[in-house]
């Protein structure tokens, strides 16, 4: 289990989901929690907070290189996109199949995703389950 400490910089709430931006040294990390800040006394800007995450959730990529540690890389065409305050739902199409991706709206904007573009869908191997027919 990874553990980091930082200070809450910003809270963004939509419905019953809150995005928490935490400053750690010279970087900002983001966490998603269920609940609104007024329901949780520990969630207020300027508060010290810890961040925990499993090693199995950390992906590795070379800067400036397309190599990445995930085995499941599916080239897809972007279909429809539904942008929300925190999350964007992206419909991806490949070989007559559909994949839906739910990513942060910040990531969607940073990547400048557009309908019709070709992208890679990345799925961690340990997140893929088998369903027998």
């Amino acid at each position: 289990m990874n553990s980091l400490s930082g200070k809450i910089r910003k809270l963004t709430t939509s419905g019953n989901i809150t995005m928490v931006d935490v400053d750690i040294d010279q970087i900002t990390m983001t966490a998603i929690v269920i609940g609104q800040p007024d329901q949780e006394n520990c969630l207020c800007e300027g508060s010290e907070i810890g961040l925990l995450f499993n090693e199995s959730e950390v992906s590795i990529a070379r800067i400036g290189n397309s190599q990445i540690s995930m085995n499941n890389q599916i080239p897809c065409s972007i279909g429809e996109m539904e942008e929300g305050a925190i999350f964007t739902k992206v419909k991806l199409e490949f070989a007559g199949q559909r994949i839906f991706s739910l990513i942060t709206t910040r990531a969607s904007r940073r990547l400048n995703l557009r309908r019709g573009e070709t992208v890679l869908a990345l799925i961690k191997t340990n997140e893929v389950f088998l369903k027998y027919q």
Side-chain angles (χ1 to χ4, degrees), residues 3-29:
S3 178
L4 300 174
S5 297
K7 187 179 284 189
I8 297 175
R9 180 172 54 85
K10 183 179 177 184
L11 302 169
T12 305
T13 301
S14 177
N16 200 35
I17 299 174
T18 299
M19 181 182 290
V20 183
D21 292 336
V22 178
D23 287 334
I24 302 170
D25 200 15
Q26 299 295 316
I27 67 164
T28 300
M29 290 189 65

Side-chain angles (χ1 to χ4, degrees), residues 1-6 24 29 49-55 58:
M1 182 72 65
N2 294 297
S3 178
L4 300 174
S5 297
I24 302 170
M29 290 189 65
I49 197 160
L51 295 174
L52 301 172
F53 50 97
N54 290 320
E55 293 86 349
V58 179

